Each structure stands twice: as C-alpha cells, then as structure tokens.
Amino acid sequence: MSTRHILLGLLATGPSHGYDLKRRHDERFPQARPLAYGQVYTTLQRLVRDGLAEVDGTASEGGPERTTYRVTGEGTHELARWAGEIAPPAPFVANEIFAKVVVAILAGGDPDAYLSAQRTAHMERMRELTAVKAAKGADLATVLSADYALNHLDADLRWMSTTAARLTTLTAEVDAA
C-alpha cells in the first residue's frame, strides 16, 4: 500500500493536519499496520516537496501548533493516475514460509513440523479474523479487510498442504543441489 497515495486520497476530501490524517488512516484501513506519526509527517513533507500537497495554514487553537495540508492540482492528477493504475499480478510471490521450509531441509531441521506449527498459527489468525468480521457493529471496511486476509491465509494453508505432501521430493531436490 502506498502511504503517499493514501494520504493524498485522505487530503482529497479536504485540508487536514497530520494528526487527523493518521487517525483517519487507522479508521479507514483497520486491518493495515497503523501509521506512525513520524511516517505521516515525513510523507507530508515529501508530498509538499514534490508539489503534490501544500501547506494550507498553521494554527495552535490553545494546543500544540498544527499545520494543515491540502492536495494540489498536481496531487489530484497523481492520485487519479495511481488509483486507475492496474496492479500487475506478480510472476512469483516472495514466500517466507517456503524459504523456511527449504532452510529447514538444508539445516537438517524438520520441515514437516515447521509446516504443522505454521498451519496452527494460520488457523488461529483465521479464527481471530472471523471473530472480527462477526463482531457486532463491524463496519464494511473491517469486514472486507478481514475477508481479504482470510482468503490469503486460506491460500497459504492450501499451499502448505500441497508442500507437505511433496516434502519427500522437495527434500531430495534440495539435497541434490
């Protein structure tokens, strides 16, 4: 996910300060990793530097000084370009689980035990996400984010089952290389 484009999208709804942008990001993308304040302000500075956003004003309103930012015309065009860009499917997915299976084979470990433990962790996360989806008052963004994660976890589980069934052949190939 592109933090700069997400912040531009949030700014497209009107001028905002960094604190508000961070809060709105965390509300709109509940299953994403929360943004750190430093990341928000660094990204805003880069957006201003690149002409995609500009300072709209600064006020203290009895508290700390807050700078308000707004998207520029160039920022609006960049956001539209990015939002319409089709994300190409990756030819291969970097898979940490696969790497750990191969390393377990190379190091004389137990790849089957690792896959079993990983399946258990995936199943636990799937139960957590299912509870999040089913929670009273769960908003649609939360449900859709949980669905996305659940589908990926399910694909991982299917891959782990296939790999576990092929461990003998994989071990022979890794050992022969």
Side-chain angles (χ1 to χ4, degrees), residues 51-52 70-78:
L52 304 175
R70 68 181 176 90
V71 69
T72 63
E74 189 176 334
T76 300
H77 291 296
E78 170 60 18

Side-chain angles (χ1 to χ4, degrees), residues 30-41:
Q31 299 302 320
R33 183 174 11 135
L35 289 179
Y37 286 106
Q39 184 179 10
V40 171
Y41 290 107

Side-chain angles (χ1 to χ4, degrees), residues 58-66:
T58 303
S60 63
E61 300 176 19
E65 189 173 272
R66 293 190 183 189

Side-chain angles (χ1 to χ4, degrees), residues 38-51:
Q39 184 179 10
V40 171
Y41 290 107
T42 300
T43 303
L44 286 169
Q45 290 170 353
R46 288 182 183 138
L47 290 172
V48 169
R49 177 199 68 201
D50 296 342

